[in-house]
Amino acid sequence: MSSDDLQVAPGTRLLHIGPHKTGTTALQSALHTARERLADHGVLFPGTGRHPMAAVHAVIGRPPLLGHSRPNLDAWDGLVEEVAGAGADRAVVSSEFFADGDDDAVPRIVEDLGGPNVHVVVTLRPLAKILPSQWQQYVQNGLRMRYDAWLDTMFNKPPHTGPTPTFWRRHRHDELIGRWTSVVGPANLTVVVVDQSRPEMLLRTFESLLGVPEGILVAERSLTNRSLTSGEAELVRLLNKEFRRRKWPEKVYPRFIRYGAIAQMRASHEPLPEEHRITTPAWALERAAEIGAEAAEAITRLGVRVVGDLSSLGRTPPGDARPPAATGTPLVSPDAACQAIIGAIAASGAAEGTPAVEDLQVRDADAATLVRVLKNRGLRRARRSLRRGR
């Protein structure tokens, strides 16, 4: 399919709905960086940031991230007004949280953004690739369930239940596409199957859709959105358990955990080769491939436009077919632990008078021991601040 075949008509509102873990952050960062260059070519990327999260949370009517208050519809109304002001120019709006919209939210979103002028784009990856990334994202939002237990719940319990009911709403991809196709029609929906062997494929496809020159969208190289290692995820999971055990108020979770310990660890710690990534057991990979194959067949029957190899959704990606990870508590490097401590202390506003990181004597240890270090040494001042926040 040529670039001209992909290009949407002038006045189109290109609505990228994700879902999560399909290259959304990389795309949004590239669009954000190129905002002025896009405008020179008649393409509006509304807002001032990378992602209109507040606006989308408001219109889908679903709870925002743990600890955040629900935004009101003013944010959504402002986004709609800016998109409407684009006139005959093209506009592109991207948020993976659109995928959380239900049967009532989807028609409103489409109508508000331009009705028949809306063209929806869905980006897809094999489910096997999504599983560990999505689990750790839930952990970064307070989930306390281990990966193996979570997989058992997702595959062996009724869908839309358990601690993460949004998972299958986002990642039963045929149903997601069917939900949006029923509103915009198959001619107004494009599926882009991301090709892991061609990292630039997603950006080049969106350039073609928007009718802008190749190279306008450039990937932003950064550590801040990297995946957590197995040990880091376990550290955060145990912090979540401690957070809940102490009944600390949810409103302080973003400050101390998400934008404190986790953000500092991801931004400042580069994992060592011996720090293992999260691995998925063979039985779950097989189930994921089966569901992916079913979804690919159903998407084909919907008659939507597809860019990429849809059949790849039913295959286990190379390198993922491995035995389950060894049992036992994963290791966390001293650097990762220290960065978590630094982040938590900095977020507490209590850096003065706390012991220096080098005095903590943190060495390679299991995650449970490191949480005790965090609890007993690094967060003394933070706990006092938390009590005052109740």
Side-chain angles (χ1 to χ4, degrees), residues 230-242:
S230 179
E232 289 171 334
E234 179 67 3
L235 177 62
V236 176
R237 189 185 71 83
L238 292 174
L239 281 170
N240 291 342
K241 291 183 69 174
E242 183 68 17

Side-chain angles (χ1 to χ4, degrees), residues 115-178:
N117 293 323
V118 171
H119 189 100
V120 174
V121 182
V122 183
T123 47
L124 298 182
R125 297 172 72 206
L127 194 56
K129 287 288 188 183
I130 289 171
L131 288 169
S133 298
Q134 187 68 93
W135 171 75
Q136 67 166 271
Q137 195 67 50
Y138 286 128
V139 168
Q140 293 176 61
N141 194 41
L143 181 67
R144 303 179 301 283
M145 183 177 284
R146 292 179 64 96
Y147 187 41
D148 53 355
W150 180 79
L151 289 170
D152 179 63
T153 298
M154 290 301 99
F155 285 111
N156 300 319
K157 301 293 190 298
H160 312 302
T161 61
T164 56
T166 57
F167 180 78
W168 287 120
R169 175 167 291 279
R170 299 168 179 175
H171 296 301
R172 183 69 207 205
H173 296 146
D174 51 339
E175 294 179 3
L176 170 67
I177 292 167

Side-chain angles (χ1 to χ4, degrees), residues 258-278:
R258 184 180 303 119
Y259 303 129
I262 299 173
Q264 183 73 18
M265 182 168 60
R266 290 173 67 196
S268 302
H269 171 66
E270 185 170 2
L272 302 172
E274 58 266 30
E275 294 180 69
H276 301 296
R277 67 184 180 88
I278 300 164

Side-chain angles (χ1 to χ4, degrees), residues 35 45 56 100 135 216 235 308 315 347 365 378:
R35 182 177 269 109
F45 183 54
V56 179
D100 290 347
W135 171 75
I216 288 284
L235 177 62
R315 297 194 293 267

Side-chain angles (χ1 to χ4, degrees), residues 14-343:
L14 201 67
L15 178 61
H16 175 225
I17 66 168
H20 293 66
K21 305 304 173 185
T22 59
T24 54
T25 300
L27 173 64
Q28 290 154 6
S29 294
L31 291 167
H32 170 67
T33 302
R35 182 177 269 109
E36 292 184 4
R37 296 193 299 276
L38 289 169
D40 292 339
H41 293 278
V43 176
L44 169 71
F45 183 54
T48 57
R50 289 171 171 79
H51 180 197
M53 186 181 297
V56 179
H57 278 146
V59 73
I60 66 174
R62 296 201 171 262
L65 300 176
L66 180 67
H68 287 259
S69 58
R70 187 188 298 274
N72 61 45
L73 281 169
D74 289 346
W76 173 250
D77 292 339
L79 177 68
V80 169
E81 184 177 353
E82 186 175 359
V83 170
D89 287 343
R90 299 178 180 91
V92 54
V93 181
S94 174
S95 173
E96 56 270 39
F97 287 100
F98 281 123
D100 290 347
D102 60 18
D103 292 342
D104 293 328
V106 172
R108 175 179 180 172
I109 292 167
V110 172
E111 182 62 29
D112 284 358
L113 289 177
N117 293 323
V118 171
H119 189 100
V120 174
V121 182
V122 183
T123 47
L124 298 182
R125 297 172 72 206
L127 194 56
K129 287 288 188 183
I130 289 171
L131 288 169
S133 298
Q134 187 68 93
W135 171 75
Q136 67 166 271
Q137 195 67 50
Y138 286 128
V139 168
Q140 293 176 61
N141 194 41
L143 181 67
R144 303 179 301 283
M145 183 177 284
R146 292 179 64 96
Y147 187 41
D148 53 355
W150 180 79
L151 289 170
D152 179 63
T153 298
M154 290 301 99
F155 285 111
N156 300 319
K157 301 293 190 298
H160 312 302
T161 61
T164 56
T166 57
F167 180 78
W168 287 120
R169 175 167 291 279
R170 299 168 179 175
H171 296 301
R172 183 69 207 205
H173 296 146
D174 51 339
E175 294 179 3
L176 170 67
I177 292 167
R179 192 157 56 245
W180 286 82
T181 300
S182 68
V183 176
V184 300
N188 290 316
L189 193 144
T190 297
V191 173
V192 180
V193 184
V194 179
D195 187 344
Q196 295 295 116
S197 68
R198 297 165 53 208
E200 299 295 314
M201 175 262 196
L202 180 60
L203 301 185
R204 301 291 82 83
T205 300
F206 268 79
E207 289 168 346
S208 298
L209 287 164
L210 294 169
V212 300
E214 182 174 324
I216 288 284
L217 300 181
V218 179
E220 184 178 5
R221 308 299 178 187
S222 174
L223 272 175
T224 57
N225 194 46
R226 69 166 177 84
S227 297
L228 299 182
T229 65
S230 179
E232 289 171 334
E234 179 67 3
L235 177 62
V236 176
R237 189 185 71 83
L238 292 174
L239 281 170
N240 291 342
K241 291 183 69 174
E242 183 68 17
F243 198 95
R244 176 58 65 92
R245 187 183 73 80
R246 291 178 172 271
K247 299 181 180 179
W248 286 342
E250 289 185 356
K251 67 182 180 180
V252 300
Y253 185 88
R255 178 185 175 195
F256 285 88
I257 306 298
R258 184 180 303 119
Y259 303 129
I262 299 173
Q264 183 73 18
M265 182 168 60
R266 290 173 67 196
S268 302
H269 171 66
E270 185 170 2
L272 302 172
E274 58 266 30
E275 294 180 69
H276 301 296
R277 67 184 180 88
I278 300 164
T279 56
T280 304
W283 72 265
L285 293 176
E286 292 171 3
R287 291 288 299 279
E290 291 172 2
I291 292 172
E294 292 173 4
E297 292 179 3
I299 292 168
T300 299
R301 291 194 295 270
L302 288 171
V304 299
R305 181 169 63 175
V306 176
V307 179
D309 182 6
L310 195 60
S311 67
S312 68
L313 301 182
R315 297 194 293 267
T316 300
D320 280 16
R322 59 181 64 199
T327 57
T329 306
L331 294 180
V332 183
S333 79
D335 185 30
C338 286
Q339 292 300 338
I341 295 169
I342 290 169

